[in-house]
Amino acid sequence: MDTQVLNRVSIATQSTFWDLFLGSLLIIRYQGWFMIFHIVFPLAGLFLLTTPFTTGDRLGPVEILLALLAFSFTPLITALAVWSARRRNKLTNGPFTYAFDAEGMHTNGAAFNQTIRWSAISRVRRTKRFLFIFISPIRALCIPIKSLTVPEDLDRLRSIASEHTDFR
């Protein structure tokens, strides 16, 4: 088999709203200080729920409603952002083909071809459901693991990426 083919991994994907929503929520843990912003709201909700008990007041419907809004802030804002992006730009719906080789990541869509060299990819993170390709400290491309149809592709991708960037 040709070594060029062995050293190239190609992934075709068409992410659903749910894939992008879940990926956007999961990526927060890799975004450093930005994560603190998202933690503040649930803590504010917890504060709203516990304060009446410490002051001896009754827990009212206003406190409950505000706490529910605080707990749901990040998921609601994320869902709105994903929905809005998919609605405003139909090209974001895919399908996309990502190819990885020694040069970098090549992305093809209905209206574009793009190459991002490994020097511009700061890190690659793998979770149980997603592969995150970071192109800045807080921005990453989200590729669902279910899009990898050949099980050996993940190992080959890890091998290619590990030569050029931090893959965990």
Side-chain angles (χ1 to χ4, degrees), residues 58-74:
R58 240 182 85 232
L59 183 64
V62 172
E63 289 86 2
I64 293 171
L65 179 63
L66 289 174
L68 287 174
L69 287 173
F71 288 133
S72 62
F73 176 78
T74 296

Side-chain angles (χ1 to χ4, degrees), residues 26-27 29-30 121-134 140-143 145 154 157-158 161 165-168:
L26 291 175
I27 201 171
R29 73 179 188 177
Y30 298 110
I121 298 173
S122 59
R123 58 195 162 142
V124 178
R125 294 293 180 262
R126 180 191 184 273
T127 66
K128 188 167 69 171
R129 293 184 175 183
F130 296 98
L131 192 62
F132 296 112
I133 314 297
F134 283 86
L141 298 169
C142 174
I143 303 172
I145 293 289
L154 185 58
L157 176 57
R158 181 186 310 270
T165 191
D166 181 23
F167 189 113
R168 284 189 249 163

